[in-house]
Amino acid sequence: MPERRTVALVTLGCARNEVDSEELAGRLAADGWDLVEDAADADVAVVNTCGFVEAAKKDSVDALLEANDLKDHGRTQAVVAVGCMAERYGKELAEALPEADGVLGFDDYADISDRLQTILSGGVHASHTPRDRRKLLPISPAARQAADVALPGHAQAEPAVPAEAPAEAPADLPEGLAPASGPRSPLRRRLGSSPVASVKLASGCDRRCSFCAIPSFRGSFISRRPSDVLGETRWLAEQGVKEIMLVSENNTSYGKDLGDIRLLETLLPELAAVDGLERIRVSYLQPAEMRPGLIDVLTSTEKVAPYFDLSFQHSAPGVLRAMRRFGDTDRFLGLLETIRGKAPQAGARSNFIVGFPGETEEDVAELERFLAGARLDAIGVFGYSDEDGTEAATYGNKLDPEIVAERLERVSRLAEELTAQRAEERLGETIEVLVDRIDEEDGVVGRAAHQAPETDGQVLLTTDEELAPGRMVVAKVVATEGVDLVAEPLGDGGCTEEAAR
């Protein structure tokens, strides 16, 4: 019997990339590849790259070079780049980085096994010429569902039941959205044992922010079918997942191409009812698209975290207009006030760009005014830099790098102070903590409803009890460490009624 082929997937970037890697893993496992965790133990190392900002692109190149070094003293025979950076630059990346034995775009994902086998056998698969993926889909959102376009993270296996079998789907979906050929299982293989997993709601984006290149290589917005989202969530729950994070480039647009812009409000209660799940979290929300009904569902549905990952980017009106975005300080503060009026403990986070072309000192002061009043739990601050192919890269009123760096340091320092103060406001709160891991130094580490994985801080539980990852614990906040909370379990280990069952 020939030795089985082995492959390792190295994932960089956001949660969306993690979903894509698990889809690739599912495809490869279905075709007979053995998945290994360490690239040094693999015949092929597949690096899922990020192409968003310069720092992320550098990390991707470093990961490819590190994997290439394994070819000199390990089992690894080939290193292949996939993901956003590979899709965005294609041949250009292949020419600039000959250490990569292959650079595969999204259109290669359906045939990933054949592509890797060709490369492993010494063959060459020509790298693609990048193109604007927005042009691959109809302009009208309603016409996109029938388009035959590669959409990473959307893949489903063939129906697992005969076509005549009844299909489970959210009960009040718009007519015609239920699957016609029975429920389909996700074409996905988990690459870790974390109690949290991401599920894609959609791919692409129809917004035209002047600083962002993502729509050009991820394409226009297209929703996944609700039945597929629900089916994948059920499958993950069966795998032991306790928290689902819904991801896309813009979750507030979900359903607009399916005939119902309020489809997320319908879907969330269905997802929350999945057996075994403890928490549903929605990320990537656009402030300009927030609507009262969505706020109501996010703040009142059991097991749906009252968590608002709002993409503000700035609050000075002039800067926002140059970014081709909408809003201002007072509107944004009003939105947060509305949310907290319905759920006082709701979590809110955002990212901001400073040093945008034309930004004045008055604009920075306006941003600081917003931050001081917003009481955000987590704040990411980035200094502006040109991105290839974006409108902002053509602007003429660029700021000196020294000014950008000074503003980045200044606003980042303020953000650190404000988020620490916000954590202190939570002293005495009763929170539900999902245990993520047991750490040798920190002990039992988890997250409250206002904390997404890796971005928003964590909760350190003061307990000697052995609490396994995935356990939901009710606890009281007794101290803070920056944005992190220290909490003491209540009652019988603080377990919730659901977890106890």
Side-chain angles (χ1 to χ4, degrees), residues 443-462:
V444 181
V445 180
R447 291 172 297 100
H450 69 279
Q451 296 169 317
E454 300 181 6
T455 61
D456 301 338
Q458 59 192 13
V459 179
L460 310 176
L461 288 170
T462 59

Side-chain angles (χ1 to χ4, degrees), residues 372-455:
R375 297 169 54 228
L376 298 174
D377 292 281
I379 299 171
V381 187
F382 301 88
Y384 173 81
S385 62
D386 287 339
E387 278 294 310
D388 298 336
T390 62
E391 180 184 354
T394 69
Y395 290 175
N397 49 350
K398 304 284 175 54
L399 303 183
D400 289 338
E402 294 81 5
I403 295 177
V404 176
E406 184 276 328
R407 291 179 181 177
L408 174 61
E409 180 181 359
R410 170 177 145 196
V411 178
S412 296
R413 188 166 56 247
L414 175 63
E416 185 176 349
E417 294 171 0
L418 291 171
T419 52
Q421 290 175 16
R422 176 63 182 133
E424 290 176 357
E425 291 179 15
R426 293 191 179 276
L427 286 170
E429 282 188 4
T430 298
I431 57 177
E432 291 190 345
V433 181
L434 181 69
V435 176
D436 275 339
R437 68 185 191 280
I438 310 301
D439 186 90
E440 289 186 6
E441 181 177 344
D442 295 325
V444 181
V445 180
R447 291 172 297 100
H450 69 279
Q451 296 169 317
E454 300 181 6
T455 61

Side-chain angles (χ1 to χ4, degrees), residues 4 115 162 172 181 195 199 252 263 312 342 386 441 474:
R4 290 173 65 88
R115 300 288 186 266
D172 50 356
S181 54
V199 173
T252 33
L263 192 54
F312 289 123
K342 296 179 179 293
D386 287 339
E441 181 177 344
V474 178

Side-chain angles (χ1 to χ4, degrees), residues 3-283:
E3 186 177 6
R4 290 173 65 88
R5 303 159 293 179
T6 57
V7 59
L9 289 120
V10 180
T11 307
L12 295 94
C14 64
R16 299 185 296 270
N17 259 17
E18 294 172 6
V19 176
D20 295 350
S21 285
E22 293 196 347
E23 179 190 299
L24 291 174
R27 291 182 181 278
L28 290 165
D31 206 42
W33 291 74
D34 283 337
L35 303 171
V36 297
E37 185 174 344
D38 193 337
D41 299 327
D43 297 320
V44 184
V46 177
V47 179
N48 192 348
T49 60
C50 179
F52 182 37
V53 294
E54 287 303 318
K57 287 183 274 190
K58 181 181 182 303
D59 289 343
S60 296
V61 171
D62 290 344
L64 288 163
L65 293 175
E66 183 178 342
N68 182 69
D69 289 342
L70 297 174
K71 291 191 290 187
D72 295 331
H73 51 265
R75 173 171 178 160
T76 309
Q77 301 173 49
V79 175
V80 175
V82 298
C84 291
M85 190 176 181
E87 173 63 38
R88 184 176 181 184
Y89 295 104
K91 289 182 177 179
E92 182 182 345
L93 177 61
E95 292 169 359
L97 198 70
E99 291 85 354
D101 298 287
V103 175
L104 305 181
F106 298 152
D107 293 333
D108 292 307
Y109 283 20
D111 300 308
I112 186 67
S113 179
D114 290 342
R115 300 288 186 266
L116 296 190
Q117 187 58 57
T118 295
I119 293 167
L120 192 60
S121 301
V124 176
H125 179 72
S127 302
H128 71 287
T129 300
R131 52 183 172 171
D132 189 335
R133 294 190 72 85
R134 289 172 292 194
K135 297 179 180 179
L136 302 181
L137 289 167
I139 294 176
S140 169
R144 293 175 187 164
Q145 286 290 317
D148 185 16
V149 175
L151 298 168
H154 288 226
Q156 299 288 129
E158 289 303 310
V161 295
E164 63 271 13
E168 289 190 67
D172 50 356
L173 291 178
E175 184 178 355
L177 288 184
S181 54
R184 300 182 296 169
S185 59
L187 192 57
R188 179 171 180 173
R189 175 69 66 91
R190 294 212 72 201
L191 293 175
S193 57
S194 169
V196 60
S198 296
V199 173
K200 274 197 177 180
L201 271 184
S203 286
C205 186
D206 286 343
R207 302 186 72 86
R208 293 296 178 261
C209 302
S210 63
F211 57 85
C212 184
I214 290 177
S216 66
F217 56 85
R218 278 289 185 179
S220 297
F221 185 89
I222 184 166
S223 303
R224 290 184 74 193
R225 299 192 312 175
S227 54
D228 289 346
V229 175
L230 186 58
E232 185 165 329
T233 298
R234 289 190 177 117
W235 178 82
L236 287 166
E238 292 169 358
Q239 306 295 309
V241 169
K242 298 300 180 182
E243 177 178 324
I244 291 294
M245 187 162 70
L246 300 176
V247 299
S248 74
E249 280 74 20
N250 177 10
N251 281 336
T252 33
S253 282
Y254 180 69
K256 74 174 187 179
D257 52 324
L258 295 172
D260 185 0
I261 191 60
R262 296 176 178 82
L263 192 54
L264 185 55
E265 290 95 302
T266 301
L267 182 59
L268 281 172
E270 296 284 342
L271 295 173
V274 170
D275 288 342
L277 285 187
E278 296 286 348
R279 181 183 289 158
I280 304 290
R281 185 184 303 277
V282 183
S283 60

